Amino acid sequence: MRSVKSCFNPTLFRKNITRFWPIWGVYLVLWLLVLPLQILHSPAHLSTLVLSSLPFGVGMAVFFGLLSAMAVFSYLYNNRSVQLMHALPITREGLFLTNYLSGLAFLLLPNALIFLLSLLAGGYPYPGVLVLWLAAQSLIALFFYSFAVFCAMFTGNLLALPIFYGILNWLVMGVVFVVNALLRELLFGFWGTTWMDSVAEWFTPVSRLVRAVRYDVTSSGVYYLTGMPAVLLYALVGVLLAVAALLIYRKRRLETAGDVVSVRQMRPVFKYGVAFCAAVVVGTWFYQTFRSLFPRGNWVILLPLLVWGAAGYFVADMLLKKTFRVFARSWRGLVAFSLVLVAAFAVTDLDLFGFNRVPKRSDVVSVSISGVNTMPYDAANSVFFTLTDPADIDTVLQLQGVISANKNTLRTETANTDRYDYNTSWREGTLSDGTVADLEHTATTDLMLRYTLADGREIRRQYRLPLYADALTDPGSVTALLDDILNRPASLAQGYWSSLIKGASLAYTSLNIYDSTEQDYITATISNQADRDRLLAAVQADMTAGRIGRRYLFQNAERYENCYYNDLAFTFFVPKSSLGSNATEDWTTTIPVTLQTTATETLKVLRELGYSGDQLVTWAEYRQQGGGEKYSDPKAVESIG
């Protein structure tokens, strides 16, 4: 008589619950400590306690989701146990469903119990917050558990399961990070791409969900999760992964127990995937760590990529075949992989996709510039501004065109400079009064461009550029074009005032002056509000006209003679009562502005306030008094400190 096979086995379900009780027991105890006991201790902060626990809940779901999958599907990794389980009067679908649901119950049932205990501990006035927690935590647990079950279907080795699970959770972000580092070596100006960053973010669920489960509060005091749509999306993916795991389980061969990869069709993917990751990750790391051992040239990077790619290829083949004797039969696949790697490298290095092509003018809506360190050392020292005027954008595109046309030369000239090396050189020169001085002749700077296109996309470029003081007189040079862009009115205004927020009021103004009696610089406070307002208006008028805020790329004669050693400092204030219900303290910021001899309106107001003559000293005069260093600006050291 033929036996009837069931699609769900309650006995197996109960056995899994009782057999693996330490998993859900520890999970339950940890949540007891985090929520009900904390609510019992501080019921007034219930909403904050409950919703702020969800990032911790993501970690709990990651770890216990894996443990649950390993427990209920552990029979798949031993020949005797897998044969025994499949001899039971349960269909494959029923066996999978019973084990899947019992493992999921390890997480969902404790969540429900924690919800009830939290209500009893003092959460009954705010059941909505606890319902929100229960839904979010359960959906997150569903995703990570289903993901672990999906990984469990691809391997016949219990130790390989947590390795696959951990790698796949972070694989995309890690590969994107390393590929970006490699592309920065190959493509001059590569900074990263928004689509790669977006892919890396969404394919790294741990990181994405930790950022998603943040809470906020409305003006009426209602708490809500800002990332619930992301949680729902991952839960849907979890359901799809569970369905995919079932389909794989139905076709899984029982004799693959013990194999690293149990699905035959995935073995080439595993082998070449390991080879690719070894080439890109280990090869790039090896090159960057031991860069000094390699000769110059981009194609040199290919050598460690090929070597480590081959190592990864053979190791993966050994794991699949369970033998060290793989070299004789596997070399053909390695040759094919190496040829593909060389071809991809050549396409990238030769820029056959037109990476360095200048964006079309009609596509560009705005461009943001940052990364350039300029003088004087005041609020606009570290440049960041956004240009939207067509003429300004045209000049930036002209600059990038010159950079792209000379990319090989520029890359070679900055090849030996690191992030903190500005490669400056000095030569003797004279100031307008005939004084001999050491003047900066060459320098190196970073330049970051971020284009916003009409269709909403971004194009990002990051360059390390050599600068030459002699090139300032050549309007088509990189140095002259960058100097022009930095000193446009829109650039200057944003460099100084972009940090201000709406409603900020001027609360304090000071000026450092030279006290001939003390023979030192002291701080003078502008105490009258009307005088402070007059000074601010004068500075803004001079800046609009380009008479103050002039940026310098070099410590040259013009920089020494035009810039004063004196700074005006404007402090702005906004009370926390004007910042919204979430503000915990007042908002303040101080904006220093270095005086310049061309600032006619500002100097006029200062003279009227009694500050003039020997109290204001240019950098050239300050150096003649014995101040400053030969190759550095003491104010720069002060600002860094």
Side-chain angles (χ1 to χ4, degrees):
M1 184 175 180
R2 188 176 181 180
S3 61
V4 178
K5 292 190 174 184
S6 65
C7 292
F8 180 79
N9 192 296
T11 303
L12 179 59
F13 181 89
R14 290 192 297 270
K15 184 177 180 181
N16 283 340
I17 296 293
T18 56
R19 179 185 178 190
F20 300 114
W21 70 266
I23 296 176
W24 58 261
V26 173
Y27 180 84
L28 176 63
V29 169
L30 291 176
W31 271 118
L32 281 171
L33 297 174
V34 171
L35 274 188
L37 294 180
Q38 292 295 325
I39 293 172
L40 194 63
H41 182 263
S42 304
H45 302 93
L46 180 138
S47 296
T48 302
L49 286 172
V50 171
L51 296 182
S52 64
S53 70
L54 283 172
F56 168 78
V58 172
M60 292 277 284
V62 171
F63 182 70
F64 284 94
L66 171 63
L67 287 183
S68 300
M70 291 177 68
V72 296
F73 288 102
S74 59
Y75 65 90
L76 291 175
Y77 309 121
N78 180 276
N79 278 312
R80 297 180 64 180
S81 61
V82 73
Q83 297 291 342
L84 175 63
M85 290 295 291
H86 284 86
L88 296 175
I90 313 174
T91 63
R92 279 210 175 192
E93 291 80 1
L95 197 58
F96 176 88
L97 183 63
T98 302
N99 286 305
Y100 176 84
L101 291 179
S102 57
L104 187 60
F106 294 173
L107 306 174
L108 299 190
L109 293 180
N111 288 347
L113 183 57
I114 292 298
F115 168 78
L116 295 174
L117 292 176
S118 297
L119 282 176
L120 296 175
Y124 52 86
Y126 307 99
V129 174
L130 288 170
V131 169
L132 193 60
W133 172 86
L134 177 62
Q137 183 60 32
S138 298
L139 292 174
I140 293 170
L142 169 65
F143 168 76
F144 283 109
Y145 172 70
S146 298
F147 187 28
V149 171
F150 179 76
C151 294
M153 297 301 107
F154 285 94
T155 181
N157 189 298
L158 185 62
L159 295 179
L161 173 54
I163 296 174
F164 286 171
Y165 177 75
I167 289 175
L168 291 177
N169 260 296
W170 295 96
L171 177 65
V172 176
M173 179 173 286
V175 169
V176 167
F177 177 81
V178 176
V179 167
N180 281 339
L182 179 59
L183 290 177
R184 279 192 286 271
E185 298 285 350
L186 300 178
L187 295 174
F188 186 60
F190 184 82
W191 185 8
T193 58
T194 53
W195 70 266
M196 287 179 66
D197 293 343
S198 180
V199 168
E201 179 182 13
W202 283 101
F203 277 84
T204 310
V206 178
S207 175
R208 183 67 184 88
L209 283 171
V210 166
R211 289 195 298 271
V213 289
R214 304 296 180 183
Y215 68 93
D216 206 344
V217 59
T218 65
S219 56
S220 58
V222 177
Y223 284 78
Y224 65 94
L225 283 177
T226 58
M228 201 61 186
V231 174
L232 292 171
L233 177 61
Y234 278 106
L236 176 60
V237 172
V239 173
L240 297 178
L241 288 175
V243 173
L246 171 61
L247 296 177
I248 296 170
Y249 187 83
R250 291 173 63 183
K251 302 294 183 180
R252 182 185 172 104
R253 298 167 60 187
L254 302 185
E255 63 270 20
T256 59
D259 292 351
V260 173
V261 178
S262 59
V263 180
R264 184 172 298 277
Q265 294 82 353
M266 295 302 297
R267 292 190 174 191
V269 176
F270 172 78
K271 181 163 60 176
Y272 290 105
V274 171
F276 172 78
C277 291
V280 174
V281 176
V282 184
T284 302
W285 168 83
F286 188 86
Y287 173 78
Q288 292 182 337
T289 303
F290 302 100
R291 181 192 297 265
S292 60
L293 301 178
F294 292 91
R296 293 186 185 181
N298 284 353
W299 281 85
V300 176
I301 307 174
L302 185 58
L303 178 60
L305 297 186
L306 291 172
V307 170
W308 286 105
Y313 178 87
F314 284 123
V315 167
D317 207 30
M318 291 174 188
L319 291 173
L320 291 174
K321 296 178 180 177
K322 302 178 183 178
T323 178
F324 292 108
R325 298 179 179 180
V326 298
F327 301 100
R329 296 184 179 181
S330 298
W331 65 269
R332 294 180 182 85
L334 176 60
V335 170
F337 170 79
S338 300
L339 290 176
V340 171
L341 188 62
V342 171
F345 189 94
V347 168
T348 304
D349 184 61
L350 298 175
D351 196 14
L352 298 184
F353 289 116
F355 169 82
N356 280 289
R357 190 181 301 120
V358 178
K360 292 182 179 179
R361 175 64 188 87
S362 58
D363 294 338
V364 180
V365 175
S366 66
V367 56
S368 297
I369 297 177
S370 60
V372 185
N373 285 316
T374 61
M375 293 156 283
Y377 298 96
D378 54 10
N381 170 37
S382 185
V383 168
F384 181 83
F385 53 84
T386 300
L387 302 175
T388 56
D389 185 87
D392 295 337
I393 295 175
D394 289 340
T395 305
V396 176
L397 292 175
Q398 182 185 357
L399 170 62
Q400 192 186 335
V402 175
I403 293 173
S404 298
N406 299 277
K407 62 180 184 295
N408 292 330
T409 301
L410 295 173
R411 178 161 55 181
T412 301
E413 292 176 354
T414 58
N416 294 325
T417 61
D418 59 28
R419 180 179 177 185
Y420 301 104
D421 181 8
Y422 293 98
N423 196 30
T424 58
S425 66
W426 302 71
R427 67 182 179 186
E428 192 174 89
T430 57
L431 304 181
S432 59
D433 62 358
T435 303
V436 176
D438 288 314
L439 306 179
E440 199 170 12
H441 177 54
T442 64
T444 304
T445 188
D446 294 314
L447 172 65
M448 301 178 188
L449 303 176
R450 189 193 297 264
Y451 295 99
T452 300
L453 306 185
D455 59 4
R457 292 183 298 118
E458 277 191 353
I459 296 177
R460 300 183 292 183
R461 298 290 182 266
Q462 178 176 355
Y463 301 104
R464 192 157 183 80
L465 302 172
L467 303 175
Y468 303 96
D470 293 342
L472 287 171
T473 57
D474 178 5
S477 67
V478 169
T479 304
L481 287 169
L482 181 58
D483 185 77
D484 178 25
I485 293 167
L486 295 175
N487 286 290
R488 299 203 166 200
S491 308
L492 296 177
Q494 292 184 60
Y496 283 96
W497 313 116
S498 59
S499 63
L500 291 181
I501 65 175
K502 186 177 180 181
S505 59
L506 182 59
Y508 181 85
T509 302
S510 64
L511 169 69
N512 67 312
I513 61 173
Y514 182 72
D515 188 331
S516 58
T517 303
E518 298 290 336
Q519 293 187 346
D520 198 1
Y521 289 86
I522 63 173
T523 300
T525 302
I526 312 300
S527 57
N528 185 277
Q529 184 63 43
D531 293 337
R532 291 199 290 261
D533 293 337
R534 287 176 60 204
L535 266 177
L536 178 60
V539 168
Q540 291 174 333
D542 280 331
M543 196 168 293
T544 301
R547 296 188 296 262
I548 198 172
R550 172 76 166 87
R551 311 314 305 166
Y552 294 93
L553 295 170
F554 302 94
Q555 299 274 24
N556 56 15
E558 184 184 355
R559 144 73 170 153
Y560 289 140
E561 294 178 341
N562 184 39
C563 295
Y564 283 101
Y565 189 73
N566 310 85
D567 284 355
L568 274 169
F570 298 98
T571 299
F572 295 86
F573 169 83
V574 179
K576 65 179 181 181
S577 58
S578 302
L579 297 174
S581 57
N582 291 330
T584 58
E585 58 184 17
D586 300 331
W587 179 90
T588 61
T589 189
T590 298
I591 300 175
V593 181
T594 296
L595 294 177
Q596 296 182 353
T597 61
T598 51
T600 54
E601 290 296 320
T602 304
L603 295 175
K604 177 183 176 183
V605 174
L606 286 174
R607 284 194 298 269
E608 293 172 356
L609 296 177
Y611 302 106
S612 61
D614 293 340
Q615 293 175 318
L616 304 181
V617 179
T618 65
W619 261 98
E621 295 168 339
Y622 172 76
R623 289 166 64 87
Q624 290 172 6
Q625 295 173 358
E629 300 289 338
K630 183 175 183 179
Y631 297 119
S632 64
D633 189 327
K635 293 170 71 177
V637 177
E638 179 182 341
S639 65
I640 294 173

